[in-house]
Amino acid sequence: MALVSSTGLLNDARKNQYGIGAFNVHSLDMLYAVAEAAYEMRSPVIIQTTTGTVKQLGADVIAHNAKKASELYPVPIALHVDHCQEYSIILECIRAGYTSVMIDASMHPFDENVEKTLEVVKIAVPLEINVEAELGKVGGVEDEIVVEDKDAEKAIPEECVEFIRQTGVQTLAPAIGTAHGIYSGPPEIDFPRIEKIAQNVEVPLVLHGGSAIPAEEVKKCISLGMAKMNVSTELKNAYSAALQKHFEEDPKAFDPRNYFLKAKQEAKNIVKEKMELLESSGKQQFQRV
C-alpha cells in the first residue's frame, strides 16, 4: 500500500482515545525497523525524520525507502518531517512524497508563527498532506534546535484556539511541560493545561518529548486528547547501545550484517513497547496488496 496522510490516522486516534507513535529514524535500517514493528503489531505508525537527517540522507532517498517499506509491510505508514524551520526543506519533503510536515515557528511571536504556518498550510493541505505546528516552546535538544529550560514556555489555551482558527492547521503540538531527550528527573506535565486545550480544540494534539515519560503519565495524556507521541532519543539510544555492546563483547566481530541486525532488533523492541503503551497495536486491519 502507499504511504498515507497522518490526518485520518490521528483523527481516529483522538476520537477513540489511543495514541499513534511517531518514531524519529536516523538511518535506513532504523526506518525499516519501525515499519517491521508496525506490521508485527498490526499498528498504524508515523515514521519521522529531522531536518538534519533529511540533509544527510536526502528526502528522495528517505521517501523512496518509506514507500518501499509500506509495500513490504502493508499497514498504514505516514512519513513526517519533524521540527522543520526551513521552508525550502518542507518543499523538498513534499516533492519527495512525505505525507506530513511540521513547520516549527514557535520561536517567533504569535503573529509570525501564524504567518509562517499558514504559508505551509496553503501548499500542503490541498495535497492531503498533514501539517503540524507548535505553540509554546518545548525544552531540550531536538537535532539542531536547542531550547534551554529557562526559555521553555507552555502553550496558552486561548492562543491555541485562535492559532487553529487563523491557520487551519490539522495537528497541534502544545508545549505542556515535556522536553526533548531523556529526563534527568520526573517530567512536570501540566495535565490541566492539556485538558483545557483539548476541550477547546478539535484537532489531534501531539506529545513531544515522549522518550522515557512514565507509562501512567503517557496514558493520562492520551486520555485527555493527545493522539500522537514522538519518540526519538529512546529509540536512538537503544540502537546505539546495541552496537556498543556488540563490540564490547567481541571487539573483532566486524561483520556489519551481525551488529546492525542486533541494533535493528533493539530499535524494534522499543517501537513495539511504545505501541503497546499507546494501545495502537491491533488498531488497523492488514490491507493486502
Side-chain angles (χ1 to χ4, degrees):
M1 63 184 297
L3 295 172
V4 301
S5 171
S6 59
T7 303
L9 301 182
L10 294 173
N11 284 337
D12 186 75
R14 172 157 184 185
K15 177 183 177 182
N16 293 293
Q17 290 194 317
Y18 65 94
I20 294 180
F23 301 93
N24 279 51
V25 300
H26 300 83
S27 64
L28 296 181
D29 61 332
M30 289 181 75
L31 184 155
Y32 283 97
V34 173
E36 287 176 22
Y39 181 78
E40 292 170 12
M41 298 297 287
R42 294 175 170 79
S43 172
V45 71
I46 298 170
I47 295 173
Q48 295 190 159
T49 56
T50 63
T51 299
T53 302
V54 171
K55 291 178 178 178
Q56 180 175 350
L57 298 179
D60 286 332
V61 171
I62 295 167
H64 172 79
N65 280 276
K67 292 171 187 174
K68 186 63 178 179
S70 72
E71 295 171 5
L72 293 171
Y73 308 107
V75 290
I77 298 175
L79 180 62
H80 176 78
V81 60
D82 193 34
H83 279 290
C84 191
Q85 299 178 342
E86 300 179 43
Y87 186 70
S88 61
I89 297 294
I90 288 176
L91 290 183
E92 181 183 348
C93 290
I94 289 173
R95 293 190 183 107
Y98 276 63
T99 59
S100 179
V101 297
M102 180 184 183
I103 170 65
D104 184 358
S106 60
M107 73 295 303
H108 298 293
F110 180 86
D111 289 344
E112 191 172 351
N113 192 348
V114 167
E115 180 182 351
K116 290 181 177 295
T117 301
L118 189 56
E119 188 176 13
V120 174
V121 167
K122 287 179 178 178
I123 293 174
V125 172
L127 299 174
E128 298 184 352
I129 295 170
N130 182 276
V131 179
E132 177 182 330
E134 182 171 315
L135 273 183
K137 297 176 183 176
V138 177
V141 179
E142 178 70 17
D143 205 29
E144 300 170 352
I145 303 172
V146 180
V147 178
E148 301 291 344
D149 289 345
K150 63 182 177 60
D151 297 322
E153 299 175 1
K154 293 180 182 178
I156 298 170
E158 292 77 13
E159 285 190 350
C160 292
V161 175
E162 185 62 18
F163 185 82
I164 292 170
R165 187 190 70 79
Q166 290 191 36
T167 64
V169 73
Q170 300 154 306
T171 315
L172 183 67
I176 44 78
T178 56
H180 298 123
I182 297 296
Y183 297 94
S184 57
E188 296 181 3
I189 299 176
D190 192 336
F191 295 109
R193 188 176 299 265
I194 298 174
E195 185 172 23
K196 187 170 182 180
I197 293 170
Q199 287 175 344
N200 289 280
V201 305
E202 295 182 357
V203 304
L205 302 178
V206 181
L207 182 64
H208 279 238
S211 290
I213 295 178
E216 63 276 9
E217 297 194 5
V218 170
K219 289 182 178 294
K220 187 169 183 177
C221 287
I222 298 301
S223 72
L224 292 174
M226 293 286 182
K228 173 182 180 238
M229 185 175 79
N230 291 6
V231 178
S232 177
T233 304
E234 202 169 352
L235 186 65
K236 177 174 60 179
N237 287 0
Y239 181 92
S240 300
L243 296 175
Q244 184 178 30
K245 181 180 179 181
H246 171 87
F247 287 108
E248 287 175 349
E249 293 177 346
D250 193 347
K252 295 183 179 181
F254 294 127
D255 189 337
R257 292 170 298 181
N258 290 333
Y259 55 74
F260 281 130
L261 185 62
K262 293 176 182 177
K264 184 179 177 182
Q265 185 58 53
E266 287 304 312
K268 283 179 64 176
N269 292 342
I270 293 293
V271 173
K272 288 183 174 182
E273 175 187 311
K274 298 303 181 185
M275 288 175 171
E276 288 281 7
L277 174 62
L278 295 168
E279 299 183 359
S280 67
S281 55
K283 293 295 184 184
Q284 186 62 44
Q285 294 295 319
F286 283 76
Q287 298 187 35
R288 301 290 183 185
V289 292

